[in-house]
Amino acid sequence: MKFRLILACALVFGISGLANASSKDIKNAQDSFRKNQFNSALMPLIPVISDYSKVDAGTGILAGSVLVRNAELHRELSKLSISATVDYLKKLTKTKKGKEPSVFATLFYGEALLSQGDYKSAKKYFNQFLKKKVPEEYKEVARVKLGVVDWKLKQQNSAKAAWKKLGNSKSLLVRSELARVNAEFLGDDKQAKKVVDEIASEIKGQNNVSSRVLTNMISVYNEIKDYKSGMQVLAQHDIGSISYREDSKSGKFINFYDVNLLGDIAELYRGVASGLLETAGKDNRYKAIADLQQIDLDIIFGHSKNAAKTVRSMLSDQGLPAPIKKQVSIREGITAKGPKIWEKTVSDNSQDAMIVSKTLSTCVQASASCKTTNKRLEKIAENLKGTNAVMVNSSIGRYYLAEKKYSKAINFLEAARNKSLKNKIEANDPVLLVGLSDAYRHDNKYSESLEIYFEMSKEFPGVRQIQEAVQGVYAMEQRSAGDVKIF
Amino acid sequence: MNRKYLSTLTGVAVAAVIATSGIANAADDNSLRYGEFGRPATLDPVTSNDMISLRVTELLFNGLVGINEKQQIIPELASKWSSDSEGKEYTFELRKDVKWHPKPGKEPELFTADDVVYTFNMMMHPKTITPLKVRYEFIEKVEKVDDNTVKFVLKRPILNALAKFTFKIIPEHGPKNPVFLTREDPFVQSPIGTGPYMLKEVNSDREVILAANPDYFRGKPQISEFVAKPFADQNIMNQALTFNAIDMIVLVNPRHLPELQGDKRFVLQPYNALSYSFFGYNVRHPHLQDKRVRKALTMAIDREKMLKSFFNDQGTLISGPFAPGSWAYNLDVKPEKFNPDEAVALLKEAGFTQGAGGIMTKNGQPLKLTLKVPIAKESESIKRVVLAFKGYLKRVGADINVEFQEWLAWKDDVFQKHNFDVVFASWVFDDSADISSLFHSAEVGAWKNNFGGYENRKVDSLIAESKLTLDHEKRRSIYRKLHAVLADEAPYTFLWTLTNYSAYHKKMRKVAIHPYKFFSFADQWFIAKDVAMTDQN
């Protein structure tokens, strides 16, 4: 809470003096950000922030904050999407009697397994896909993916040979896939950029570009740190678009999406946010705020060493204002292995629910051991009300979510939820809603999950892929008699 | 009258109600009193078609199988089951230790296969008044194998067949008429079942009092009594909860959510996500037969503004016959935009011209319609919705006459006599998303759910196709098509899904709420003895 106050002051200060975005854009961005509409907040800033080295500190801090939240949210969405997609496609690939098999499910399931790091299973499904009667360009996509599996399994020569064979492909899909592997594995940034820049020109002004192409382009731009071009892809195309629609003669159709998309977007946001914060931090008035944001960003993305380095550096700064120092100390646990420092922070601040709450949520984000911290907070939670209770319950809920104790997570996250506007992001932190939806999904309460995604997808089009996957699982899992009653 | 005075007066009124009824003091510490906005029409699982009745029947009766919180099929009256390899025959072995609730002055009778055969045959009898028939048309017959075994033969294999056998079994010795069941049979008001609770009485305040069944086959439930208390006013119901006159509200009025959320004595739990409100049209009316007219009425009203203004945006606009939380919702179909000019153009295209007083007229018949609204569901928000509906339609030349009716009279007019032009109502679904009883032409008739008389061959064939397929993804594709067709056909103006929460006192423990049937797991609930009743914050 205190940190948000500090941040808010900095933002107001920033736009009053230095902003180089138009005041209307800044105001729109601030209004949207206040309503948790992170995507709407970002859009008016894109033209200004794309070249973040030239952004003034005030705009940099505002845009950086918007992007940190966007990055955090999309990282959570990405994890959820991979998990939901694997659940869905696992069921879809198991053909039962009376069921028309899906041809493309094997390709997309293989990709989802690859994202999860299950390379051997992924290989199995790519090979199954190659035996099917499908357009050649999709076979080529599967071959690129098989190369990725080989690379991951340390068979790099085999991977390179597979990719080389496909080098002359004219297919947009295959070219984008090859550009991705060029940048990600072969380090041929120049060639990768050349290809995706060409693709960007080819698809300019086109609607319904396959999300496979879009995510590959974003991934390449991330790898080569050309975030400006990456942001252009987002600004110019519908990221909720499908990757492939399988339409059978019997009237059945299945939409497939790219499971990497949300993660690639999260990484793009992280990259831009980091650059913006670095630029803003060059102005001494914003340095502390920018560094603090950078610590959070590093923790969210698992860059613990970077986070720890910044924490140590800030704590050794004698001139650091006390409120900021307090905020940094909350994150001090990241500097050591094990739970000791997290627990000490809690012990030193046991009367301050907000500090304990933030310590727990940071501890959870850092994937540390947070059992004792959580215990302490649960005791505090018993006597809290109002806004404090929302933050505390949210932290505890996310702890149980990380522990995969879904019913408990639901209890606490529900306690933190605004009941009147239960699915509205304007009234609830979107990350809380994502956590709650995930807990409900695991607890087989799919309709509660889907309601959340339905509202979220209005602001975040990439959520569409999660909606479709959860709908698919729900359609197979539901067991009921077909009842309907008048209210 | 100022608000503070009104609030005090309401408080006094509630206190007076509590004092005179004696419930607060006399109630057993181990009884659960829950508030319902309205009262059940019937208490049996066959003739009832509203949610209040459904909740009571969930406590009174059992099915052959049940569904647990993890969506798994679990044994209830059947202890085991098997099916043939084709999925066309299902054989159930029945529990031998199940007793029917005793009739007054008599010993309880044993549940047997005869009761199962009786229930199915009675349910499907042409003279039985029930919305259940369409759901079980896939069953060809049921046979008694022996006293504790029954076999169902299906006409064809279907998806999730086992889940269909959750229908409640009623006793052969229960209804007065041994062949079919109507709302006139005394059984529908004084039912006996096998469930965890038995009907004790319906008292002069129309409270339904249920007592724990000591012979319940899963063991006597922990809570000794369930009392369903009907309220005609949601404010008073909410006051009753905060004054400890009741322990639970099944459905909290959204305007009371902030107050209850801030009160640490209560737990708020969402459920019933699969519900939505609508204006339904009677297509027997000559003007409403034309889909252009129905679409014009839909386009003439600003649903987004209504949701924001009257419900503080506490819900989600929908575009078709499924709720956004359903697996069947077609995400590509967007709600029709508010466009009164287009609405007028559509009416003109349908042959209407502006007549006297600005009312649209066709073939000498003005576009005058009667909107019927059940008074049991009357609230300030609903009143505003229907008055806004009237106002919006006046602007495009349709004259709406709003009639509020008592709940049972409304049901009679809508479901039996079909004496209405437009209705305002809400449907609640279990998660099957089965809309066949709402829109299939075979479901037009007395006490059937297609009360508007809507008929469309394409819709019929899609519904039929969805029932024939054994492929989940194909069924999903069909439902998405159904969604698109019905959004275009507009037999209803589909409105919104509202935020639905139940509220209960934290003294109640192990409370798991079924998202649709509500009380499915209530035999496991219990009441803690040491919880303060007055600690608000």
Side-chain angles (χ1 to χ4, degrees), chain B residues 303-313 384 392:
Chain B
R303 288 172 285 174
E304 199 169 351
K305 194 171 176 186
M306 287 159 86
L307 183 62
K308 275 191 180 141
S309 306
F310 309 142
F311 296 98
N312 298 321
D313 217 11
R384 287 179 192 162
Y392 280 123

Side-chain angles (χ1 to χ4, degrees), chain A residues 295-358:
Chain A
I295 292 169
D296 283 346
L297 199 58
D298 283 335
I299 290 174
I300 292 164
F301 281 81
H303 303 160
S304 307
K305 282 184 183 169
N306 288 351
K309 195 177 159 192
T310 318
V311 166
R312 283 193 202 98
S313 159
M314 289 184 84
L315 287 176
S316 64
D317 180 356
Q318 300 301 315
L320 199 67
I324 298 277
K325 197 158 206 164
K326 188 91 183 165
Q327 288 298 319
V328 180
S329 67
I330 290 172
R331 292 141 173 95
E332 198 181 351
I334 199 74
T335 60
K337 281 185 182 169
K340 277 189 179 168
I341 296 183
W342 298 110
E343 286 167 14
K344 184 176 179 303
T345 309
V346 168
S347 175
D348 292 348
N349 298 281
S350 59
Q351 300 307 307
D352 190 328
M354 288 308 91
I355 289 184
V356 179
S357 174
K358 180 65 189 168

Side-chain angles (χ1 to χ4, degrees), chain A residues 88 92 97-101 245 250-255 381-385 390 407 414-424 440 442-448 450-451 454-455 457-458 464 467-487, chain B residues 48-51 54 67 70-71 73 135-136 160 163-164 166 251 257-258 261 264 268 270-271 273-275 312-317 324-327 329 331-332 377 407 415 425-432 434 437-438 449 470-477 480-481 497 499 501 516:
Chain A
Y88 170 50
L92 203 56
K97 195 180 168 188
K99 237 174 88 173
E100 185 185 358
R245 170 171 285 187
S250 72
K252 177 169 91 170
F253 63 90
I254 305 171
N255 292 334
E382 285 171 13
N383 301 310
L384 281 176
K385 59 180 177 180
V390 169
S407 295
E414 267 299 341
R417 189 188 206 180
N418 182 314
K419 303 292 188 289
S420 302
L421 299 166
K422 69 172 187 173
N423 299 315
K424 307 281 184 196
Y440 274 127
H442 280 101
D443 221 29
N444 295 336
K445 295 186 175 73
Y446 301 103
S447 56
E448 291 295 336
L450 285 168
E451 269 199 345
F454 190 81
E455 280 298 321
S457 64
K458 293 175 185 171
R464 171 72 179 249
Q467 282 178 283
E468 293 243 15
V470 176
Q471 277 193 341
V473 174
Y474 190 10
M476 294 181 225
E477 287 290 300
Q478 65 88 14
R479 306 264 182 275
S480 54
D483 204 5
V484 53
K485 303 263 187 219
I486 205 93
F487 222 134
Chain B
S48 67
N49 72 340
D50 62 71
M51 292 305 291
L54 171 82
I67 295 166
K70 298 279 176 201
Q71 289 287 308
I73 305 281
R135 212 183 301 157
Y136 297 103
N160 294 334
K164 307 281 183 188
T166 49
L251 186 63
L257 284 170
Q261 184 165 19
K264 288 200 79 170
L268 285 164
Y271 77 109
L274 301 176
S275 61
N312 298 321
D313 217 11
Q314 292 168 328
T316 305
L317 280 191
S326 164
W327 53 265
Y329 195 95
L331 302 165
D332 293 323
K377 301 294 168 199
W407 175 236
F415 285 95
S426 304
W427 286 121
V428 188
F429 295 82
D430 68 7
D431 55 8
S432 66
D434 188 344
S437 75
L438 274 52
N449 285 343
L470 294 174
D471 183 333
H472 292 99
E473 284 298 319
K474 185 167 180 193
R475 186 182 55 164
R476 199 174 154 209
S477 301
R480 287 190 284 208
K481 285 180 198 161
T497 290
T499 292
Y501 274 91
Y516 175 69

Side-chain angles (χ1 to χ4, degrees), chain A residues 219-284:
Chain A
S219 168
V220 170
Y221 288 131
N222 285 344
E223 284 293 330
I224 62 176
K225 298 193 171 25
D226 180 1
Y227 298 121
K228 182 178 178 179
S229 300
M231 294 298 277
Q232 291 304 318
V233 175
L234 280 192
Q236 290 170 4
H237 297 281
D238 174 15
I239 58 164
S241 63
I242 56 172
S243 181
Y244 184 78
R245 170 171 285 187
E246 182 175 314
D247 217 334
S248 77
K249 283 177 189 164
S250 72
K252 177 169 91 170
F253 63 90
I254 305 171
N255 292 334
F256 293 99
Y257 294 83
D258 284 282
V259 80
N260 294 315
L261 179 71
L262 291 163
D264 288 336
I265 291 174
E267 181 57 28
L268 173 64
Y269 289 153
R270 188 207 62 77
V272 183
S274 196
L276 284 163
L277 293 170
E278 194 183 329
T279 304
K282 287 175 184 162
D283 184 325
N284 278 338

